[in-house]
């Protein structure tokens, strides 16, 4: 890799409470379709839009589950940057810090359609756009036309560079998994086997 070529780094941000195959498939699709060198999984510290996660896993448990889920994929890694910051954690700050530390890296932030639609409610979205390209994947069977319209709008209003990620619609969310598990319904195959073992052993979501 010559000095002129920037390292292409995907960022899969999320609460990961718990991490599930939707997150993993998105990250793998982004890696492949955008010729990324690596994808960082970035568990959110204390996101302002989810202040009360009372029935959820602890930070350490969320970190451990992500580590277990990605351990056999050599181009995935865990970034615990947001875990050790106090107060609310904002993506724009995390990205600014990452860019300062690694000016040679180019960031591709991976999001689902729900995050795309809510993107302008994030703190300082235009600053996020200065530091990364967004890759947006379908979710809840949202039609591509609506997503493209939103992409256009964000491009015009804040110069966002956003691309559609080609991925199957994966009908799964952490919220549904927590509920199912609590109701003694199987979540097997929705999360990696090691993650399920960890949830059981540590009595999370009971
Ligand atoms: P919760 O129900 O707790 O909000 P979640 O399943 O939405 O959990 P998050 O950690 O909130 O997972 O998601 C992180 C990112 O991954 C978001 O940008 C979200 O849109 C995306 N994402 C999560 N699950 C899917 C999915 N099944 N399909 C597409 N995108 C997804
Ligand atoms: Mg969510």
């Amino acid at each position: 890799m010559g000095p002129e070529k920037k390292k292409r780094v995907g960022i899969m941000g999320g609460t990961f409470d718990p991490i599930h195959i939707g997150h993993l498939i998105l990250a793998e699709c982004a890696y492949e379709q955008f010729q990324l060198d690596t994808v960082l999984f970035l568990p959110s510290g204390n996101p302002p839009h989810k202040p009360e996660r009372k029935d959820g896993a602890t930070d350490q448990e969320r970190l451990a589950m992500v580590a277990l889920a990605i351990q056999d994929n050599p181009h995935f890694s865990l970034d615990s940057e947001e875990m050790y910051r106090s107060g609310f954690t904002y993506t724009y700050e995390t990205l600014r810090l990452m860019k300062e530390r690694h000016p040679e890296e180019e960031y591709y932030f991976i999001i689902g359609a729900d995050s795309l639609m809510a993107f302008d409610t994030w703190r300082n979205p235009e600053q996020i756009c200065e530091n990364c390209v967004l890759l947006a994947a379908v979710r809840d069977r949202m039609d591509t036309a609506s997503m493209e319209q939103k992409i256009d709008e964000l491009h015009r209003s804040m110069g966002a560079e956003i691309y559609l990620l080609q991925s199957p619609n994966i009908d799964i969310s952490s919220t549904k998994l927590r509920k199912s598990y609590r109701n003694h319904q199987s979540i097997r195959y929705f999360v990696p086997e090691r993650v399920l073992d960890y949830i059981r052993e540590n009595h999370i979501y009971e």
Side-chain angles (χ1 to χ4, degrees), residues 65-176:
M65 290 189 282
V66 173
L68 288 168
I70 66 175
Q71 74 178 24
D72 50 17
N73 188 328
H75 51 256
F76 284 176
S77 61
L78 173 62
D79 186 329
S80 51
E81 153 68 33
E82 285 198 355
M83 287 289 158
Y84 305 103
R85 225 183 299 150
S86 56
F88 287 144
T89 41
Y90 295 103
T91 301
Y92 85 93
E93 283 180 321
T94 305
L95 275 166
R96 180 167 45 76
L97 284 170
M98 290 173 76
K99 201 75 189 183
E100 275 168 23
R101 286 183 204 145
H102 303 283
E104 77 291 358
E105 294 184 346
E106 212 163 61
Y107 296 120
Y108 295 79
F109 200 87
I110 305 160
I111 56 176
D114 57 316
S115 302
L116 173 70
M117 292 318 197
F119 186 72
D120 30 23
T121 69
W122 291 19
R123 179 71 64 98
N124 296 338
E126 62 297 326
Q127 283 190 42
I128 298 178
C129 297
E130 282 168 24
N131 288 321
C132 73
V133 170
L134 293 170
L135 305 179
V138 68
R139 188 174 198 186
D140 304 325
R141 305 189 181 281
M142 178 167 292
D143 58 300
T144 321
S146 313
M147 291 181 69
E148 267 163 357
Q149 197 183 333
K150 187 71 190 184
I151 287 173
D152 238 49
E153 181 194 314
L154 290 170
H155 181 70
R156 272 184 278 112
S157 63
M158 57 183 84
E161 188 179 355
I162 312 178
Y163 301 103
L164 277 183
L165 187 59
Q166 298 306 316
S167 60
N169 186 85
I170 310 156
D171 188 14
I172 175 173
S173 76
S174 301
T175 302
K176 277 197 233 162

Side-chain angles (χ1 to χ4, degrees), residues 25-78:
I25 293 171
L26 246 56
E28 188 69 3
C29 286
Y31 172 80
E32 197 168 64
Q33 287 164 39
F34 291 85
Q35 294 86 45
L36 304 181
D37 295 300
T38 184
V39 179
L40 302 178
F41 282 71
L42 181 79
S44 52
N46 188 16
H49 64 290
K50 290 184 181 171
E52 303 251 331
R53 293 187 306 101
K54 45 186 183 311
D55 303 326
T58 65
D59 287 358
Q60 287 318 308
E61 288 165 342
R62 292 188 297 119
L63 269 184
M65 290 189 282
V66 173
L68 288 168
I70 66 175
Q71 74 178 24
D72 50 17
N73 188 328
H75 51 256
F76 284 176
S77 61
L78 173 62

